[in-house]
């Protein structure tokens, strides 16, 4: 959620882990963030110039963020390799993403980044919401719908972090999730046509709340950070047990779908050429075929190009030629004998 204090939350997480002698590997994927307030190992701003992208492609803020992420995600496999090199030294990898849900979660680059990480490492998605603004039932319901959509889009372990509890305690939100009648009472106080809609949605999301992991924290004071890491540990176990298996099934399903598409395209090509016609034919495997291209021992091939067809001697192993030569020789012999007899007479 934009403005919920997620960057400050990442800063608090990095400071907390460093204090515990567990330094994290920190990555910033928000190209529009002005002055990252924590030390980063990888920063998208070192690779992509957000303002130049906006100027070059004549884009608005959100369009420039999406384009910057698209450019960066094209080489995301290199980032994966960098993390893999450090995976035995680092326990946690913190990734700060753009706050706009439509920019990251529902973009192609966001999907590539999320699935690439989840295919290699235990991945947990954290949704940071502003507790202060969520005291309004309408804003709270909007946050829950956002959270629900992200959960079902990513299909990964999910944690809702209710930030800024140093200003407003999150007990009211926990109560609304546990008992929808309490939320109904709060929604009825809203003088808006959306009150009925919110009431209906709360009944639908009641099933969603049952398995939802949530925690109240304060990025400013550090309150609730230990409880957050307890949830992360549980989510990592959940990833290994359930989500990893499902992810492999989805990857295999995509592979099967790609193979089916390729076979379908091949059938279309075969249909264009004619059914039953072979597009590719192979030469028979016969030693005599290959021997024709092999050089024979005892023959000098260096002067082959300088030898004319007239200088080449035809082979004399043809039986018909041998018989014709023998008959010719016999006729010459008989002719000579006749001449000798004539001379004697």
């Amino acid at each position: 959620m934009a403005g919920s204090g997620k960057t400050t939350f990442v800063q608090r997480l990095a400071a907390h882990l460093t204090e515990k002698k567990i330094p994290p590997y920190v990555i910033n994927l928000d190209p529009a963030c002005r002055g990252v307030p924590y030390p980063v190992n990888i920063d998208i701003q070192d690779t992509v110039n957000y303002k130049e992208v906006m100027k070059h492609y004549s884009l608005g803020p959100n369009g420039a963020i999406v384009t910057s992420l698209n450019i960066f995600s094209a080489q995301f496999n290199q980032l994966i390799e960098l993390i893999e090199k450090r995976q035995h030294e680092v326990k946690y990898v913190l990734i700060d993403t753009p706050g706009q849900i439509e920019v990251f979660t529902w973009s192609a680059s966001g999907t590539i980044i999320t699935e690439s990480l989840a295919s290699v490492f235990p991945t947990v998605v954290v949704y940071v919401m502003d507790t202060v603004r969520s005291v309004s039932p309408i804003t709270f319901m909007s946050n829950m719908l956002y959270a629900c959509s992200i959960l079902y889009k990513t299909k990964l372990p999910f944690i809702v972090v209710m930030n800024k509890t140093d200003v407003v305690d999150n007990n009211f939100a926990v109560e609304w999730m546990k008992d929808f009648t309490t939320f109904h009472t709060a929604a009825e106080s809203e003088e808006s046509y959306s009150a009925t809609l919110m009431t209906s949605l709360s009944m639908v999301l009641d099933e969603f709340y049952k398995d939802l992991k949530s925690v109240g924290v304060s990025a400013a004071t550090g309150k609730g950070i230990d409880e957050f890491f307890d949830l992360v540990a549980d989510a990592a176990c959940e990833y290994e047990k359930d989500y990893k298996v499902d992810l492999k099934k989805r990857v295999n399903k995509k592979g099967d779908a790609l193979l089916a598409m390729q076979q379908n395209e091949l059938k279309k090509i075969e249909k264009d050429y004619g059914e039953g016609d072979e597009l590719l034919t192979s030469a028979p495997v016969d030693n005599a075929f290959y021997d024709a291209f092999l050089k024979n021992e005892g023959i000098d091939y260096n002067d082959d190009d300088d030898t004319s067809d007239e200088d080449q001697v035809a082979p004399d192993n043809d039986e018909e030629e041998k018989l014709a030569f023998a008959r010719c020789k016999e006729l010459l012999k008989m002719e000579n004998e006749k001449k000798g007899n004539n001379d004697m007479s």
Side-chain angles (χ1 to χ4, degrees):
M1 180 181 180
S4 62
K6 63 179 181 55
T7 298
T8 307
F9 177 65
V10 173
Q11 180 187 22
R12 172 59 62 179
L13 294 179
H16 178 82
L17 292 172
T18 303
E19 184 181 353
K20 296 285 186 179
K21 307 298 182 184
I22 314 173
Y25 197 84
V26 186
I27 301 172
N28 174 46
L29 292 183
D30 189 352
C33 181
R34 294 183 179 180
V36 181
Y38 49 80
V40 294
N41 298 93
I42 298 176
D43 191 348
I44 189 175
Q45 297 179 7
D46 295 334
T47 305
V48 183
N49 190 321
Y50 165 74
K51 291 185 178 180
E52 285 298 322
V53 170
M54 185 187 298
K55 180 180 177 181
H56 182 76
Y57 294 102
S58 301
L59 299 171
N62 285 356
I65 293 175
V66 171
T67 304
S68 298
L69 282 171
N70 289 341
I71 296 172
F72 188 80
S73 63
Q75 302 297 328
F76 198 75
N77 61 312
Q78 297 179 14
L79 186 144
I80 296 292
E81 292 174 359
L82 291 175
I83 299 175
E84 285 181 321
K85 291 179 181 178
R86 300 288 301 278
Q87 64 180 338
H88 299 296
E89 307 171 16
V90 177
K91 185 177 181 180
Y92 296 100
V93 177
L94 306 178
I95 302 178
D96 189 6
T97 66
Q100 297 88 337
I101 184 174
E102 70 279 4
V103 168
F104 186 78
T105 306
W106 294 100
S107 67
S109 55
T111 302
I112 292 171
I113 291 171
T114 305
E115 292 187 354
S116 298
L117 288 168
S119 64
V120 183
F121 310 106
T123 305
V124 180
V125 178
V126 179
Y127 178 73
V128 183
M129 59 180 282
D130 189 342
T131 308
V132 177
R133 284 188 287 171
S134 297
V135 294
S136 168
I138 296 177
T139 306
F140 174 80
M141 183 54 61
S142 298
N143 273 291
M144 291 300 103
L145 291 174
Y146 273 153
C148 183
S149 66
I150 295 171
L151 171 63
Y152 288 110
K153 177 67 169 62
T154 59
K155 298 180 181 178
L156 290 170
F158 192 79
I159 300 174
V160 173
V161 170
M162 300 178 184
N163 195 18
K164 303 181 182 180
T165 56
D166 57 309
V167 179
V168 175
D169 196 277
N170 69 311
N171 288 334
F172 74 92
V174 175
E175 187 67 23
W176 285 353
M177 289 190 293
K178 288 182 178 180
D179 185 7
F180 67 86
T181 58
T182 307
F183 179 79
H184 289 181
T185 303
E188 289 174 356
S189 63
E190 293 283 339
E191 297 180 358
S192 171
Y193 69 91
S194 59
T196 305
L197 175 61
M198 288 188 297
T199 303
S200 301
L201 288 174
S202 66
M203 297 178 67
V204 173
L205 292 178
D206 186 55
E207 194 69 26
F208 167 71
Y209 295 146
K210 290 181 179 179
D211 299 321
L212 183 65
K213 295 181 176 65
S214 63
V215 60
V217 304
S218 171
T221 64
K223 176 185 175 182
I225 296 298
D226 289 326
E227 290 80 358
F228 168 75
F229 277 107
D230 290 339
L231 290 181
V232 170
D234 294 340
C237 295
E238 187 179 351
Y239 168 88
E240 294 290 346
K241 182 180 178 181
D242 301 324
Y243 287 86
K244 192 174 182 179
V245 176
D246 181 64
L247 181 63
K248 288 183 178 180
K249 290 181 180 179
R250 281 187 281 149
V251 171
N252 293 335
K253 187 176 180 180
K254 285 185 178 180
D256 295 339
L258 178 61
L259 181 61
M261 183 181 67
Q262 292 174 342
Q263 291 176 346
N264 187 39
E265 292 297 325
L266 183 60
K267 288 180 180 179
K268 289 181 180 178
I269 296 173
E270 290 177 346
K271 186 176 180 180
D272 292 339
Y273 277 86
E275 294 183 2
D277 295 339
E278 293 187 5
L279 300 181
L280 298 176
T281 57
S282 57
V285 179
D286 187 355
N287 290 336
F289 175 79
Y290 295 104
D291 290 343
F293 298 95
L294 299 178
K295 292 183 177 182
N296 296 318
E297 295 182 1
I299 301 178
D300 186 7
Y301 291 88
N302 295 330
D303 298 330
D304 284 351
D305 295 337
D306 299 332
T307 304
S308 63
D309 294 338
E310 295 179 357
D311 297 333
Q312 294 180 1
V313 179
D316 57 355
N317 57 352
D318 191 277
E319 292 298 329
E320 293 183 0
E321 290 185 3
K322 288 181 179 181
L323 292 174
F325 180 75
R327 287 196 298 268
C328 181
K329 187 176 180 181
E330 186 68 26
L331 290 172
L332 290 174
K333 183 179 179 181
M334 293 173 62
E335 193 70 28
N336 290 333
E337 288 179 352
K338 287 181 181 180
K339 288 182 179 180
N341 293 333
N342 291 334
D343 293 338
M344 289 178 65
S345 59

